[in-house]
Amino acid sequence: MIDKSILVKQLFEDTALYLTYDYNLQIRKETLESFTKDISYTSVLDMPCGTGTISLSLLSKTKKLTLIDISTNMLSLAEKNIPASEKQKVICINDDFFKLEIPEESYDLVICLGLLAHVNSPEQLLSKLSKIISPNGYLIIQNTDSMHFYSYLIRFYLGLKRIISKSSYQLNKVEASFLENELNKNGFELKKQFRYNQSFLGFSNLFSNEKKYKLTRSFFGYVEHNKHAKWGSDITYLFKKKSV
Ligand SMILES: C[S@@+](CC[C@H](N)C(=O)[O-])C[C@H]1O[C@@H](n2cnc3c(N)ncnc32)[C@H](O)[C@@H]1O
């Protein structure tokens, strides 16, 4: 079996490619802010952190923020984004999450956005994340539901792109029901979710990031009022770990 961690590291060392979709980072950041506005936490993990822009906004509310990313270039962007006045609260780790030994129940908030599609085993990821969260702690996790009709269109479009670019990189297919069942089994309760579509398929280049942001918001709305949610294949969840 191909080890995805090597391929994914190569892919995300090219930070410019990922950052062309920065409207999506803005939507993720706002989703995170909305999910966390009424909860308290002291020890936060953002893994994978990418540029850090999504979770750094939580710094004023937490005592400790750990940023982990396998991509050296992504993590160095994140390091540059940490405000000088908050640096002492942040720990940055440039490594593969699966190789790190993290004590159980270390965090009361774990953020995991944009990773399930890139790991060797989604089940192993969910199991490891579940263990490192303390009872009553929270997990914010994102997945593209592989059984959603829009995901079929995305796969068709990406398949054509792969043929043209001769790339062999393939995203994992993870069903929403698989993720929800696994986390239920691991003692988590679903509290909130926000659904939208991340991809504009072949039409992405027609719109600026600002336009894509506006179109997404006008069709899908916000966490507080998620319009047309059933049309959204991309789901960001807020789960709470039960107190045993
Ligand atoms: C799609 S980006 C998401 C980044 C960020 N969470 C966001 O939403 O913008 C995926 C990130 O996962 C990182 N990554 C992939 N596999 C990883 C692993 N095994 N351990 C740590 N980071 C990993 C990549 O380097 C990349 O920065």
Side-chain angles (χ1 to χ4, degrees):
M1 197 179 77
I2 302 167
D3 183 355
K4 278 209 157 182
S5 61
I6 297 165
L7 297 177
V8 84
K9 179 167 164 57
Q10 276 166 5
L11 184 72
F12 285 100
E13 289 302 0
D14 182 358
T15 55
L17 184 70
Y18 183 60
L19 294 178
T20 46
Y21 304 104
D22 71 353
Y23 82 96
N24 191 45
L25 295 188
Q26 183 63 21
I27 290 176
R28 287 185 176 176
K29 179 169 173 275
E30 289 167 4
T31 303
L32 176 70
E33 285 167 355
S34 174
F35 278 178
T36 54
K37 70 176 186 297
D38 298 322
I39 63 176
S40 51
Y41 42 83
T42 54
S43 181
V44 181
L45 169 66
D46 183 6
M47 189 297 303
C49 64
T51 63
T53 39
I54 297 174
S55 61
L56 286 172
S57 63
L58 303 184
L59 266 177
S60 60
K61 272 183 75 184
T62 186
K63 288 191 181 130
K64 194 181 109 188
L65 171 65
T66 304
L67 301 177
I68 299 177
D69 204 289
I70 200 170
S71 156
T72 310
N73 292 338
M74 280 288 189
L75 194 73
S76 66
L77 283 182
E79 278 171 319
K80 283 186 198 128
N81 285 330
I82 305 168
S85 57
E86 306 269 30
K87 274 212 158 53
Q88 77 292 348
K89 287 185 183 174
V90 188
I91 299 164
C92 294
I93 303 171
N94 180 211
D95 211 338
D96 181 345
F97 176 61
F98 295 98
K99 294 198 177 134
L100 292 168
E101 277 187 32
I102 302 175
E104 291 192 4
E105 303 181 3
S106 298
Y107 298 98
D108 52 12
L109 174 59
V110 171
I111 303 151
C112 181
L113 309 175
L115 187 61
L116 269 163
H118 301 289
V119 293
N120 290 317
S121 161
E123 194 174 352
Q124 188 193 2
L125 174 65
L126 295 174
S127 160
K128 184 159 175 158
L129 290 172
S130 300
K131 288 184 184 141
I132 62 175
I133 299 174
S134 53
N136 293 314
Y138 293 88
L139 171 63
I140 295 177
I141 187 163
Q142 171 276 340
N143 179 45
T144 303
D145 178 11
S146 63
M147 291 300 279
H148 192 277
F149 82 93
Y150 199 77
S151 298
Y152 286 90
L153 295 180
I154 297 174
R155 281 202 293 277
F156 178 69
Y157 168 67
L158 291 179
L160 290 181
K161 261 183 89 174
R162 262 203 316 277
I163 294 169
I164 294 163
S165 66
K166 300 199 171 81
S167 153
S168 60
Y169 192 78
Q170 264 187 311
L171 300 173
N172 293 330
K173 289 192 233 166
V174 182
E175 287 181 34
S177 59
F178 165 81
L179 178 147
E180 291 161 18
N181 291 337
E182 282 298 296
L183 288 173
N184 279 337
K185 242 173 32 195
N186 297 350
F188 285 79
E189 212 179 343
L190 177 60
K191 293 291 179 189
K192 287 183 185 173
Q193 55 180 297
F194 177 66
R195 290 171 175 252
Y196 70 111
N197 283 325
Q198 259 194 64
S199 172
F200 280 72
L201 302 171
F203 302 103
S204 196
N205 291 337
L206 297 182
F207 307 112
S208 65
N209 270 305
E210 200 186 339
K211 187 75 192 161
K212 282 188 272 198
Y213 176 86
K214 283 190 180 146
L215 287 170
T216 305
R217 285 300 186 201
S218 68
F219 190 76
F220 289 106
Y222 292 79
V223 171
E224 292 71 21
H225 179 44
N226 192 183
K227 299 185 279 181
H228 309 112
K230 70 169 192 273
W231 294 90
S233 60
D234 192 272
I235 316 173
T236 309
Y237 298 94
L238 172 68
F239 283 95
K240 183 172 186 182
K241 190 168 180 177
K242 293 178 197 154
S243 57
V244 207

